């Protein structure tokens, strides 16, 4: 990796809103001392802002003395990172084989039809972002769904999915 | 010593997904309202998911305390448990007795998982009281080469899936460090070797890494510290997948406790100067491949590297790097503590020791079974697993994750042994077994294998990146009956290209589930498909 000194003349113009810029700089300050800091920085930014805004890319690239293309390449490689904030809740349905063996294909079809969206999309009311995940390590108890950061659910039949949506709707109100 | 009764409820992710948190809260509330002095201990899971949430209570039986288990206990049943006097082991329909006496449990040989479900994973005191750090203590008395020899003699092979002899890998890193020992410390402080734990357990049907990290994280830390001594590394990394938030919390707590107590990050020369950083992945299956994992740790796209050089010679930041799976590291403490011969005496043929087997999918009793190599699939599926959860006949099992072959009933007598499974075209992999009942549509499973490869390919090798997409199209033409014979030939040709033209196992082994599905279940590849009313939509009753 090239380790030349950052050139102040090419410092990115900071087009982020002030609060977001502060969060990005805080993430960089907290993480950049370790080798291979890019993923920890991206995680920290997303944890703070719900996403990694495109305008954060030049700031991060500058701090790590890497090109914007490199940072964009990393950002776009990993499915966890998003460029816009998700809905109020993120619901991840496990698509992997062990859940398929317990009925997840029916769950997937039901969830998409019920919400009127496909994976990677957010329901019209902004309540639910639906995502696919390839294994949650709950392979004996599927179909499995992960709600938001760490709320793991087992045995999600289509009826249980509807109940989950009602529960989340209540939590939003 | 407190006089309060100790009650154990798992904090394991699977147990939580089945309601363990609500059960634990209900127990705390009941105890408070009844004025009972009770210590609620959150453990890992015993690995019997049909009994989760499993509540255990410690009984003072005169001699050593023992435990009585109740399960599955819903939060609504907690009041009844108190009324039945469960704190004294009272009779109740949910009472299953001493967990170790259950048939499922008693027949296991738990070496790696000995403490999981028993100890409080956050308590170093508990770990030490249950034999923790005895392996590291012994390692501290040995020369690095002797530690490597002990691991070599145990016959341990990489539990991540590739089954490479662990001792040889350790020896390679040890030798590389010795040869390059004169290298000056680089600016990044990356002198010496690295120890990297691959905790990117992405294979469907596998969760033993997760259970170990959540239920006994100090065991992994101890195994990595022993490895650090053996290869001369002072820095370790755990690369954990982001899909495991509960394991992340358990590891963070354990790493902090290990540092606070001086087992990690001690002063140079103490033998305990090794330290471990926890890194979180970002949703890429390919980062379970060791070279992609290293690129990801370096802050890059997780793309597979060309080998050679082996990571053991030139790995993380160009330094010799030992990469092992969670279960491999977690098997090391017992090998050091009890000796290579003790471990080697378990198993068959060239598969020595025990394997934490994970029963998944459409089975009545799913969970973790640690056994010596050699148990047959049939015993696992029917004796342990209890047959299908849906009550329909089992039709196929996939062993070894999404890149493993689908095996039909006729192959259920195959023993779980690396070589025996390879002989029938299968792969033991990380020890996950996913069972499907007869509602499965094997064409859909083959199609999914190609789809998964297309979704998760890192993009470096054309056969994997593009061949997987072509594979979906060819399969669909076969099913639709378009130029059937020509397309069947084309599929085989495409599979050969994937196998021989890909750098890593994702492209190289995706043909296995596809070809095995086609070979064993050709009837599913014919249109129109009306034989199976479930249409691949299995339902658990």
């Amino acid at each position: 990796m090239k380790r030349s000194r950052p050139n102040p003349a090419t410092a990115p113009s900071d087009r982020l809103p002030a609060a977001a810029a502060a969060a990005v700089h805080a993430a960089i300050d907290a993480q950049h001392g370790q080798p291979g800091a890019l993923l920890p920085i991206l995680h920290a930014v997303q944890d703070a802002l719900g996403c990694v805004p495109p305008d954060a890319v030049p700031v991060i690239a500058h701090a790590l003395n890497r090109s914007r293309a490199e940072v964009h390449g990393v950002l776009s490689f990993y499915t966890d990172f998003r460029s816009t904030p998700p809905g109020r809740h993120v619901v991840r349905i496990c698509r992997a084989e062990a859940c398929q063996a317990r009925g997840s294909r029916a769950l997937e079809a039901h969830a998409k039809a019920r919400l009127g969206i496909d994976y990677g999309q957010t329901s019209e009311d902004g309540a639910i972002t639906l995502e696919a995940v390839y294994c949650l390590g709950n392979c004996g108890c599927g179909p499995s769904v992960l709600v938001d950061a760490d709320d793991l659910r087992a045995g999600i039949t289509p009826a249980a999915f509807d109940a989950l949506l009602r529960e989340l709707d209540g939590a939003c109100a | 010593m407190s006089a309060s009764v100790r009650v154990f409820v798992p904090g394991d992710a699977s147990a939580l997904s089945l309601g363990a948190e609500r059960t634990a809260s209900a127990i705390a509330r009941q105890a408070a309202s009844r004025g009972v002095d009770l210590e609620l201990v959150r453990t890992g899971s015993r690995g019997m998911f049909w009994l989760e949430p499993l509540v255990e209570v410690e009984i003072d039986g005169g001699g050593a305390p023992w435990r009585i288990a109740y399960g599955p206990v819903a939060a609504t049943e907690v009041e009844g448990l108190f009324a039945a006097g469960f704190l004294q082991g009272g009779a109740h329909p949910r009472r299953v007795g001493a967990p170790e006496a259950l048939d499922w449990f008693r027949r296991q040989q738990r070496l790696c998982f000995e403490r999981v479900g028993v100890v409080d994973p956050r308590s170093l005191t508990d770990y030490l009281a249950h034999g923790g750090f005895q392996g590291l203590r012994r390692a501290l008395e040995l020369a690095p080469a002797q530690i490597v020899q002990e691991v070599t003699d145990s016959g341990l092979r990489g539990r991540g899936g590739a089954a490479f002899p662990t001792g040889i890998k350790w020896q390679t890193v040890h030798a590389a460090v010795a040869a390059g020992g004169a290298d000056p410390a680089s600016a990044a402080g990356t002198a010496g070797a690295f120890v990297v734990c691959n905790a990117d357990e992405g294979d469907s049907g596998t969760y033993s890494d997760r259970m170990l990290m959540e239920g006994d994280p100090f065991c992994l830390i101890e195994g990595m510290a022993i490895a650090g001594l053996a290869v001369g590394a002072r820095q370790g990394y755990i690369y954990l997948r982001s899909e495991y938030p509960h394991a992340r919390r358990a590891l963070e707590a354990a790493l902090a406790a290990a540092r606070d107590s001086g087992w990690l990050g001690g002063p140079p020369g103490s033998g305990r100067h090794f330290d471990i950083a926890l890194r979180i992945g970002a949703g890429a299956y390919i980062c379970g491949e060791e070279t992609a994992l290293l690129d990801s740790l370096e802050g890059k796209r997780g793309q597979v590297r060309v080998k050679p050089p082996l990571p053991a010679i030139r790995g993380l930041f160009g330094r010799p790097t030992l990469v092992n799976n969670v279960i491999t590291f977690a098997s090391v403490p017992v090998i050091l503590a009890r000796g290579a011969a003790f471990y080697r005496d378990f198993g068959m043929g060239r598969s020595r020791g025990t394997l934490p087997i994970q029963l998944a999918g459409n089975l009545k009793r799913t969970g973790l079974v640690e056994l010596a190599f050699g148990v047959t699939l049939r015993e696992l599926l029917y004796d342990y697993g209890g047959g299908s959860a849906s009550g329909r006949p089992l039709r196929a099992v996939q062993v070894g994750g999404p890149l493993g072959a689908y095996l039909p009933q006729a192959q259920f007598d195959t023993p779980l042994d690396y070589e025996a499974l390879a002989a029938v075209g299968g792969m033991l992999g990380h020890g996950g077994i996913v069972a499907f009942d007869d509602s499965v549509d094997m064409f859909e499973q083959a199609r999914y294998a190609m789809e998964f490869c297309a979704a998760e390919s890192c993009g470096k090798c054309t056969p994997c990146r593009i061949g997987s997409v072509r594979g979906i199209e060819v399969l669909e033409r076969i099913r639709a009956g378009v130029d059937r014979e020509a397309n069947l030939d084309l599929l085989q040709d495409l599979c050969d290209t994937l196998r021989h033209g890909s750098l890593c196992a994702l492209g190289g082994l995706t043909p296995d589930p596809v070809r095995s599905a086609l070979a064993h279940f050709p009837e599913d590849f014919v249109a129109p498909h009306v034989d199976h009313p479930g249409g691949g939509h299995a339902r658990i009753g």
Side-chain angles (χ1 to χ4, degrees):
Chain A
M1 208 193 313
K2 280 179 289 186
R3 278 276 164 218
S4 57
R5 193 177 309 170
N7 180 354
T10 63
S13 60
D14 207 338
R15 289 183 298 174
L16 285 163
V24 171
H25 285 296
I28 291 168
D29 291 346
Q31 306 292 338
H32 92 292
Q34 56 192 319
L38 182 51
L39 256 70
I41 288 173
L42 294 175
H43 272 305
V45 170
Q46 182 153 307
D47 286 349
L49 302 176
C51 67
V52 181
D55 285 343
V57 170
V59 184
I60 296 167
H62 181 72
L64 295 180
N65 196 25
R66 290 172 73 171
S67 72
R68 278 190 283 174
E70 269 185 287
V71 174
H72 175 76
V74 172
L75 192 57
S76 55
F77 180 85
Y78 296 97
T79 52
D80 279 4
F81 299 124
R82 56 175 97 245
S83 56
T84 52
R88 290 190 291 279
H89 295 284
V90 179
V91 173
R92 286 169 220 249
I93 297 178
C94 177
R95 286 201 70 200
E97 291 90 340
C99 281
Q100 290 170 20
R102 297 178 69 93
S104 68
R105 285 173 185 258
L107 170 65
E108 287 185 87
H110 173 81
K112 289 179 185 179
R114 173 72 203 264
L115 293 167
I117 53 175
D118 204 343
Y119 287 131
Q121 298 179 337
T122 301
S123 60
E124 216 160 76
D125 60 359
I128 305 287
T129 296
L130 191 67
E131 289 187 347
V133 63
Y134 293 95
C135 196
L136 294 163
N138 199 30
C139 315
C141 314
S144 300
V145 162
L146 183 68
V147 182
D148 298 330
D150 62 0
D151 185 0
L152 183 61
R153 308 289 182 105
I156 302 296
T157 58
F161 185 82
D162 291 347
L164 172 65
L165 289 186
R166 284 193 296 275
E167 181 192 328
L168 295 178
D169 202 32
C172 281
Chain B
M1 180 92 182
S2 155
S4 66
V5 186
R6 298 218 298 166
V7 174
F8 305 84
V9 180
D12 170 274
S14 279
L16 294 176
S17 79
L18 295 163
E21 196 59 47
R22 289 190 296 277
T23 300
S25 304
I27 290 172
R29 274 198 310 274
Q30 274 294 320
S33 73
R34 289 166 182 262
V36 176
D37 187 14
L38 171 153
E39 184 191 349
L40 195 55
V41 181
R42 305 306 296 269
T43 61
S45 169
R46 298 265 191 178
M48 302 181 282
F49 296 143
W50 71 100
L51 290 177
E52 293 288 3
L54 185 73
V55 175
E56 298 179 26
V57 59
E58 194 169 71
I59 307 288
D60 193 1
W66 53 297
R67 295 183 191 179
I68 293 291
Y70 297 80
V73 178
T76 50
E77 296 171 305
V78 166
E79 192 174 355
L81 274 190
F82 273 88
F86 90 111
L87 293 177
Q88 292 77 42
H92 188 277
R94 296 292 190 212
R95 189 182 192 275
V96 293
E100 293 88 350
L102 291 172
D103 192 45
W104 161 283
F105 212 88
R106 197 166 36 83
R107 290 188 289 158
Q108 294 190 42
Q109 291 142 320
R110 289 204 166 197
L111 304 182
C112 194
F113 274 73
E114 194 180 0
R115 284 176 293 261
V116 175
V118 178
V119 298
D120 174 355
R122 288 168 174 265
S123 166
L124 193 64
T125 315
D126 225 7
Y127 186 64
L128 290 165
H130 286 82
F133 286 123
Q134 284 177 9
L136 181 55
R137 282 185 212 277
R138 169 138 187 269
L140 284 165
E141 294 163 6
L142 299 176
Q146 291 174 301
I147 302 173
V148 173
Q149 192 59 47
E150 197 76 22
V151 172
T152 305
D153 292 345
S154 74
L156 178 65
R157 293 165 70 179
R159 296 286 188 253
F164 188 81
T166 305
I168 293 178
K169 195 184 257 188
W170 287 34
Q171 173 58 35
T172 309
V173 180
H174 176 74
V177 172
D183 273 14
S186 74
T190 52
F194 290 111
V195 170
V196 173
C197 173
N198 183 345
D200 196 53
E201 182 177 53
D203 287 352
S204 175
T206 68
Y207 46 82
S208 60
D209 291 357
R210 179 186 64 67
M211 282 185 63
L212 190 284
M213 291 185 286
E214 291 176 6
D216 193 14
F218 291 113
C219 182
L220 170 59
I221 292 171
E222 182 179 354
M224 290 179 71
I226 293 169
L229 287 174
V231 304
R234 65 174 186 226
Q235 181 65 50
Y237 288 94
I238 297 172
Y239 186 90
L240 176 70
R241 63 201 300 262
S242 62
E243 292 85 349
Y244 283 180
H246 306 87
R248 176 184 183 167
R249 279 200 291 271
L251 285 170
E252 282 170 348
L255 287 169
R259 262 181 227 120
D260 287 348
S261 56
W263 286 98
L264 287 181
S270 64
R272 296 179 183 182
H273 57 288
F274 184 75
D275 205 349
I276 299 171
L278 178 63
R279 288 288 185 89
I280 307 299
Y285 174 78
I286 196 61
C287 290
E289 195 284 332
E290 63 176 359
T291 62
L293 187 157
L294 295 176
D295 265 23
S296 185
L297 271 179
E298 290 182 2
K300 302 172 186 162
R301 294 161 69 91
Q303 285 197 302
V304 174
R305 297 179 184 176
V306 178
K307 289 191 275 195
L310 293 170
I313 311 287
R314 268 183 74 82
L316 187 62
F317 302 114
R319 299 300 308 169
T321 302
L322 178 68
V323 187
N324 276 142
N325 165 258
V326 173
I327 300 298
T328 312
F329 282 125
S331 299
V332 168
V334 71
I335 289 168
L336 267 292
R338 304 183 73 167
F342 168 79
Y343 192 79
R344 197 182 50 225
D345 282 348
F346 293 89
M348 68 177 276
R350 289 176 49 220
S351 304
R352 311 310 311 179
T354 60
L355 179 71
I357 298 152
Q358 303 121 84
L359 298 182
N362 201 326
L363 292 174
K364 200 169 286 168
R365 294 190 295 266
T366 57
L368 187 128
V369 180
E370 184 175 349
L371 283 172
F373 289 90
V375 60
T376 66
L377 272 175
R378 194 177 298 281
E379 285 175 81
L380 289 164
L381 294 169
Y382 294 98
D383 293 357
Y384 285 92
S388 77
S390 60
R392 304 172 67 107
L394 291 179
R395 184 160 185 243
V397 297
Q398 188 179 31
V399 184
L403 308 176
Y406 284 101
L407 307 176
Q409 276 273 356
Q411 293 179 334
F412 284 5
D413 290 312
T414 310
L416 255 68
D417 160 88
Y418 294 117
E419 280 68 38
L421 266 162
V424 299
M427 173 177 74
L428 182 47
H430 189 45
I433 297 175
V434 178
F436 294 82
D437 72 9
D438 68 348
S439 68
V440 67
D441 179 339
M442 295 306 295
F443 167 82
E444 286 296 339
Q445 298 311 120
R447 188 189 183 287
Y448 172 83
M450 287 291 189
E451 205 182 315
F452 180 73
C453 181
E456 295 295 339
S457 173
C458 80
K460 189 153 186 162
C461 309
T462 311
C464 173
R465 183 183 71 244
I466 294 176
S468 52
V469 179
R470 295 288 95 87
I472 299 168
E473 297 162 359
V474 173
L475 279 166
E476 282 173 351
R477 286 201 291 273
I478 290 170
R479 169 94 137 207
V482 179
D483 276 341
R484 190 174 160 80
E485 292 310 311
N487 276 303
L488 281 169
D489 282 350
L490 187 59
L491 180 68
Q492 295 297 345
D493 194 47
L494 183 67
C495 284
D496 283 339
T497 308
L498 274 162
R499 168 170 289 276
H500 299 296
S502 306
L503 280 175
C504 83
L506 180 54
L509 296 182
T510 291
D512 285 12
V514 175
R515 278 176 158 156
S516 57
L518 181 61
H520 300 307
F521 308 96
E523 63 275 20
D524 286 15
F525 289 72
V526 182
H529 188 77
V530 290
D531 296 348
H532 301 293
H537 293 184
R539 295 283 293 276
I540 305 299

